[in-house]
């Protein structure tokens, strides 16, 4: 726990708590909401100061990264704390900056401790430039390092849990600084201990392990869309190999994502709005009888369905309502909000999508982003 002097230092130094701040530009879905209080934390002392402030005001604290997995439903009578530890903006030489600490190395790997406020994609891109690999399939995922453990971010079969060593966090109930091992984070598919206990821990640093050698990927083990993009790049270079290196994967991931996913700056969205449902063997057999082409993948717990395919088959791809909220026309799993409509309007549309999928396939779609609503004098994370 930090001393009272450290907290006083934070107060004297810089942390400025503002009142009645519009959050529309602080969430990529661009839904409007007023935060009663708002502050930016650059140090652990700032966080402790914010925790004390909330105790004094008897209000709740909501920590925010880049708001790319968050939807605000209404005004929030809470302190919204933007976590920018070690971060805030583009850092030219991340691996020689204060934002990243070298921890240890072996002949094959190196561990770095990274500030929660650093941009995730910057870590992926600059690690490759520094000769470290392993994160490339997770290139161009928006958001900050501190939010990455919340839903165990992942793409193309690669997940944060594959490279994460530990998480440093502050317990908001006691002010204690804690360290969680990979196992203690209870990672699962787009899930973690932190997602299950919203508001309890504020992540300050994350330790990741990078490979010091090139990771070599076999083409036939890549997701089909990624394989196609890699093959296109290989064809352009007239190479006939059946394997590719980390840089080639990084380039292909960026190319596919840029061609398929809406840029939140131009078309507000929060990425995939629903998780891919996991169903039992029995349910899978029933679905296959009715829909032989249903896209599915075996997983430990049964079968994973491609939620985007279900939405498309229900005729909802590109469909929008009068306030503009729509299933994106290049990837139906992404709900877009071009007119910056309210959070209520977004979830009303999402509920319609959920209802159509239940009606057609008998499958429940679970909302992936965190939905925040303030009612009965309390902040509720509706989508937990
Ligand atoms: P925020 O939205 O700010 O926060 C998300 C949640 O984490 C909130 O509950 C917040 O309270 C909590 N939180 C944030 N920081 C902290 C902290 N320091 N300590 C404790 N709690 C914290 N996700 C994937 O997994 N894979 C993808 O491929 C992917 N692609 C996307 C593409 C697009 C176009 C978009 C818009 C989103 C995508 N996402 C994807 C979702 C999103 O980018 C990730 O979930 C990301 O990790 C969110 O980071 P953030 O900083 O924006 O978090
Ligand atoms: P895609 O490649 O078109 O694939 C569609 C779906 O099928 C994905 O959801 C993926 O599941 C699943 N899939 C495809 N090939 C698979 C395989 N070989 N084994 C197991 N599952 C397979 O997907 P996309 O929409 O373009 O996205 C590409 C990747 O980026 C995906 O991993 C996706 O999760 C990730 N992404 C996530 C978000 C988000 O907000 N969470 C947004 C955009 C993209 P998985 O989703 O489980 O991988």
């Amino acid at each position: 726990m930090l001393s009272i002097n450290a907290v006083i230092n934070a107060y004297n130094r810089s942390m400025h708590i503002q009142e009645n701040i519009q959050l529309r530009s602080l969430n990529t879905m661009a839904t409007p909401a007023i935060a009663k209080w708002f502050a930016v934390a650059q140090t652990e002392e700032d966080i402790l100061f914010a925790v004390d402030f909330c105790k004094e005001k008897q209000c709740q604290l909501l920590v925010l990264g880049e708001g790319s997995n968050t939807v605000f439903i209404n005004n929030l009578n809470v302190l919204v704390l933007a976590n920018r530890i070690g971060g805030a903006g583009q850092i030219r030489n991340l691996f020689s900056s204060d934002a990243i600490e070298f921890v240890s190395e072996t002949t094959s790997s190196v561990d770095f401790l990274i500030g929660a406020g650093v941009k995730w994609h910057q870590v992926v891109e600059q690690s490759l430039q520094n000769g470290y690999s392993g994160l490339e399939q997770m290139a161009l995922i928006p958001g900050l390092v501190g939010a990455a453990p919340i839903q165990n971010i992942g793409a193309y079969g690669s997940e944060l849990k594959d490279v994460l060593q530990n998480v440093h966090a502050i317990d908001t109930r006691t002010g204690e600084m804690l360290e969680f091992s990979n196992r203690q984070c209870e990672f699962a598919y787009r899930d973690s201990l932190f997602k299950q206990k919203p508001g309890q821990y504020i992540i300050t640093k994350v330790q990741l392990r990078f490979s010091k050698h090139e990771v070599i990927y076999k083409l036939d083990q890549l997701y089909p869309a990624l394989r196609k993009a890699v093959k296109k790049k290989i064809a352009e270079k007239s190479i006939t190999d059946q394997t590719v290196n980390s840089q080639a994967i990084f380039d292909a991931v960026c190319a596919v994502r840029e061609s398929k996913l809406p840029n939140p700056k131009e078309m507000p969205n929060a990425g995939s709005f629903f998780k891919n449902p996991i169903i039992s063997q029995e349910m899978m057999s029933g679905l296959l009888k009715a829909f032989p082409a249903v896209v599915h993948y075996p997983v430990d717990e049964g079968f994973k369905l491609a939620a985007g395919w279900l939405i498309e088959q229900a005729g909802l791809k590109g469909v929008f309502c009068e306030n503009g909220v729509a299933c994106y026309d290049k990837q139906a799993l992404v709900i877009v909000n071009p007119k910056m409509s309210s959070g209520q309007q977004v979830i009303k549309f999402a509920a319609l999508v959920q209802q159509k999928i239940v009606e057609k396939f008998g499958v429940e779609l679970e909302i992936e982003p965190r939905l925040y609503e303030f009612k009965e004098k309390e902040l509720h994370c509706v989508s937990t």
Side-chain angles (χ1 to χ4, degrees):
M1 203 183 309
L2 284 189
S3 68
I4 186 68
N5 285 345
V7 177
I8 292 167
N9 279 344
Y11 179 78
N12 289 337
R13 193 174 41 77
S14 63
M15 202 166 86
H16 172 48
I17 296 190
Q18 302 172 65
E19 274 189 69
N20 298 323
I21 294 297
Q22 174 56 259
L23 299 173
R24 183 173 250 155
S25 64
L26 295 167
N27 73 104
T28 62
M29 189 60 108
T31 61
I34 306 281
K36 172 84 173 130
W37 294 284
F38 176 81
V40 177
Q42 290 172 317
T43 62
E44 287 163 345
E45 290 86 342
D46 287 346
I47 292 177
L48 289 173
F49 179 72
V51 168
D52 276 2
F53 176 90
C54 289
K55 276 193 190 130
E56 192 193 310
K57 299 281 181 194
Q58 296 190 337
C59 73
Q60 284 170 280
L61 191 156
L62 169 57
V63 62
L64 195 61
E66 276 191 335
S68 65
N69 211 24
T70 300
V71 178
F72 300 119
I73 308 298
N74 56 14
N75 292 341
L76 305 174
N77 207 2
V78 304
L79 170 63
V80 173
L81 186 67
N83 190 328
R84 297 294 179 266
I85 292 183
Q90 196 72 20
I91 302 173
R92 194 181 290 184
N93 294 315
L94 200 50
F95 283 78
S96 49
S97 76
D98 293 343
I100 293 194
E101 274 169 59
F102 166 83
V103 180
S104 62
E105 66 183 323
T106 65
T107 48
S108 58
S109 68
V110 55
D111 282 16
F112 288 103
L113 192 58
I114 308 172
V118 174
K119 284 175 185 286
W120 172 260
H121 177 70
Q122 237 186 309
V123 176
V124 180
E125 187 174 35
Q126 293 198 23
S127 60
L128 281 177
Q129 289 162 358
N130 282 274
Y132 311 126
S133 22
L135 272 53
E136 43 282 352
Q137 294 192 96
M138 294 184 275
L140 275 192
I141 298 182
L144 305 182
V145 166
I150 308 300
Q151 73 155 359
N152 177 29
I153 57 166
Y156 300 106
S158 178
E159 289 182 316
L160 182 77
K161 73 173 171 55
D162 306 333
V163 293
L164 181 139
Q165 294 307 300
N166 59 52
V167 166
H168 295 219
I170 291 175
D171 188 329
T172 54
R173 298 162 306 174
T174 59
E176 250 183 310
M177 307 261 195
L178 304 173
E179 209 178 300
F180 295 85
S181 67
N182 182 307
R183 194 181 52 78
Q184 288 170 324
C185 293
E186 296 176 16
F187 289 124
Y189 181 60
R190 308 285 188 267
D191 200 7
S192 72
L193 165 82
F194 311 108
K195 194 166 178 177
Q196 292 302 324
K197 295 185 184 292
Q200 192 161 322
Y201 304 109
I202 299 183
I203 295 174
T204 55
K205 288 175 187 166
V206 175
Q207 187 174 323
L208 301 182
R209 179 159 297 171
F210 299 82
S211 170
K212 284 163 81 175
H213 306 301
E214 287 269 14
V215 178
I216 300 298
Y217 294 82
K218 289 187 178 156
L219 282 189
D220 60 4
Q221 288 175 1
L222 300 177
Y223 274 26
L226 186 55
R227 183 162 60 236
K228 201 169 148 202
V230 171
K231 278 188 171 166
K232 189 165 174 272
K233 296 237 168 232
I234 288 176
E236 280 166 10
K237 290 183 187 160
S238 312
I239 301 170
T240 52
D241 281 1
Q242 286 310 300
T243 58
V244 282
N245 65 13
S246 305
Q247 187 63 49
I249 292 289
F250 175 87
D251 293 342
V253 168
C254 292
V256 184
R257 293 183 71 107
E258 276 165 356
S259 70
K260 187 171 177 183
L261 294 171
N263 177 346
K265 288 190 182 128
E266 292 154 10
M267 177 69 80
N269 74 89
S272 304
F273 206 83
F274 304 101
K275 277 166 80 168
N276 286 330
I278 310 285
I279 62 168
S280 65
Q281 163 82 60
E282 193 190 354
M283 198 169 166
M284 189 71 241
S285 308
L287 256 186
L288 277 169
K289 277 191 195 126
F291 305 96
V294 63
V295 179
H296 63 288
Y297 301 92
V299 290
D300 291 345
E301 308 87 335
F303 289 89
K304 177 179 78 178
L305 302 176
W309 185 89
L310 300 176
I311 298 170
E312 197 174 337
Q313 295 302 308
L316 293 166
K317 192 176 187 176
V319 165
F320 54 90
C321 47
E322 73 280 5
N323 51 44
V325 182
C327 288
Y328 190 53
D329 56 7
K330 290 188 192 161
Q331 167 50 295
L333 191 49
V334 176
I335 289 186
V336 292
N337 183 22
K339 293 185 181 169
M340 301 190 191
S341 298
S342 69
Q344 284 102 319
Q345 287 167 318
V346 171
I347 51 165
K348 201 170 156 201
F349 181 78
L352 180 81
V353 174
Q354 288 172 310
Q355 184 198 328
K356 295 273 179 210
I357 300 305
V358 168
E359 281 167 13
K360 188 169 172 79
F361 300 103
V363 172
E364 305 264 355
L365 290 183
E366 187 189 329
I367 290 178
E368 184 179 290
R370 313 284 67 202
L371 310 179
Y372 286 103
E373 181 176 38
F374 192 84
K375 63 174 191 189
E376 290 147 20
K377 299 186 181 168
E378 276 196 15
L379 179 68
H380 296 270
C381 184
V382 192
S383 51
T384 303

